[in-house]
Amino acid sequence: MATLRIRLSLLLTYFVFAILLNSVGTVILQVIHTYQISKEAASVLEGFKDIPIAVVSFIIASYLPRLGYKTALQIALGLVTLACIAMPLLPAFWTTKLLFLSVGASFALVKVSVYASIGVVTETKTEHASLLNFIEGGFMLGVLSGYWLFSAFMDPAAPQSSGWLQVYWLLALLCAANLALLSSTPFPKLVLPPTQPLRQDFIAMLQLVYKPLVFVFVLSAFLYVLIEQGIGSWLPTFNNEVLRLPNQLSVQLTSIFAASLALGRILAGVVLKKLSWYLLLNGCLIAMALLILLTLPLTRNIALNADVSLFSAPLAAYLFPLIGLFMAPIYPVINSVMLSALPKVQHAPMTGLIVVFSALGGTTGSMVTGYTFANFNGQTAFYLCLLPLSLLLLSIGLFHRQSKQAPV
């Protein structure tokens, strides 16, 4: 029963942070209208989210086992509850930056704690991969819920309205409820090696990068998140400005991307029982490239339709987000392969590296896509994803080879 409550706590905490983290695309669209700022200025929100993730993970990941995963999760939920309350009380672009700064710093604690806790409550590699995919699937369901939650507070007739900020009262309530559940859930104690100075823990985390398998892995994680965030953060704006859809409908149709990611991760858990992870990921990457090449030409010369609805949007609005279906298995699979190769006591520092390089990839992807979107067009911005996608295909090949040749 205790293990079940821990898993539920981890899932619900991850679910709430999924809504907040992946609201950045929706919020970019809204702040452009509400606060009348440029795309380049709005693109920094991804940095305010991701850079704190990288910095906090880099500094504290190796210390978290000693702080305690439960304590770290409690701190994160408490901080984000306060940040959500500030959004409607102090409506301004700087408050939005502060929110994502808080969400990013807190998620660094959450992700390291959740990933490391999975290693504590599972016994085998198969069980670890299964629970990790389940948690990541729940994360994507949170992302999906977030799009509809935010759109419910948006006014399509007045894009500049600040009424969408009221959603943060509900999000603050969800965070507080999760904090209460987590506080009442007992966590097992992790058996740690003899205490050593924090500096040595930090150095030990950095030394992991020198291992060929780990180096190729963090490169793959960086490239994957660069692609995912480049698309996910700018898809609402793409729908609004390229496909000529109202802001509320643009956000609602972006939920197809999140739904595809969630479904893809659930299906991956079934497919991986019958197919090699390497073959699956190669097939997914090739399918992603084909979908980009076949779908983006359909987004040109879209005529404005004042009566457009959820069921009458251009075909590309439904097809392009399906890229999430093929993108979905990549991140949890490579994470599971990497973590399963390590002793459980090293899961926290390794997860710290995962979060650092994922955050750097997310910031890079969003800012490059935003710059290209503003200075060229949305189609060019998304075509540009083919470059990191090709590099990811190569890096996963190297990762597969290293995972077979050399133990960590």
Side-chain angles (χ1 to χ4, degrees), residues 11-21 77 171 174-175 178:
L11 177 64
L12 292 178
T13 301
Y14 225 44
F15 180 87
V16 172
F17 271 86
I19 295 174
L20 288 163
L21 279 168
L77 284 167
L171 291 172
L174 288 174
C175 289
N178 273 318

Side-chain angles (χ1 to χ4, degrees), residues 31-55:
V31 297
I32 288 173
H33 291 297
T34 302
Y35 302 128
Q36 298 296 302
I37 61 173
S38 67
K39 293 183 181 68
E40 290 93 338
S43 72
V44 304
L45 291 179
E46 190 77 50
F48 271 87
K49 172 174 71 76
D50 286 338
I51 297 301
I53 294 176
V55 172

Side-chain angles (χ1 to χ4, degrees), residues 14 17-18 20-22 24 45-62 64 76 79-80 97 99-113 139 202 205 225 228-229 331 348-363:
Y14 225 44
F17 271 86
L20 288 163
L21 279 168
N22 290 275
V24 66
L45 291 179
E46 190 77 50
F48 271 87
K49 172 174 71 76
D50 286 338
I51 297 301
I53 294 176
V55 172
V56 174
S57 298
F58 201 63
I59 294 172
I60 205 171
S62 60
L64 276 186
L79 181 61
V80 169
K97 294 177 183 178
L99 170 78
F100 283 110
L101 178 68
S102 303
V103 169
S106 298
F107 186 65
L109 302 178
V110 167
K111 185 158 187 175
V112 174
S113 298
F139 184 87
F202 182 70
M205 180 179 73
V225 180
E228 183 188 293
Q229 293 301 312
Y331 194 65
M350 185 67 243
T351 305
L353 291 176
I354 292 172
V355 175
V356 167
F357 284 91
S358 297
L360 294 175
T363 299

Side-chain angles (χ1 to χ4, degrees), residues 264-338:
R265 286 179 179 170
I266 292 169
L267 292 176
V270 178
V271 175
L272 285 169
K273 294 178 180 178
K274 302 180 181 296
L275 189 68
S276 157
W277 68 265
Y278 180 58
L279 290 177
L280 173 63
L281 298 196
N282 273 307
C284 288
L285 289 168
I286 293 170
M288 285 170 60
L290 290 174
L291 189 63
I292 290 172
L293 293 171
L294 294 175
T295 305
L296 285 182
L298 300 176
T299 66
R300 298 193 177 278
N301 303 317
I302 299 291
L304 178 63
N305 181 359
D307 299 323
V308 67
S309 70
L310 187 62
F311 302 103
S312 62
L315 181 62
Y318 306 104
L319 292 180
F320 187 78
L322 294 178
I323 194 171
L325 189 65
F326 307 110
M327 188 184 294
I330 299 171
Y331 194 65
V333 166
I334 62 174
N335 283 342
S336 182
V337 171
M338 186 69 255

Side-chain angles (χ1 to χ4, degrees), residues 144 147-148 251-261 317-318 321-322:
L144 173 61
Y147 288 121
W148 288 91
V251 172
Q252 290 173 344
L253 285 171
T254 303
S255 68
I256 298 174
F257 179 64
S260 298
L261 282 166
Y318 306 104
L322 294 178

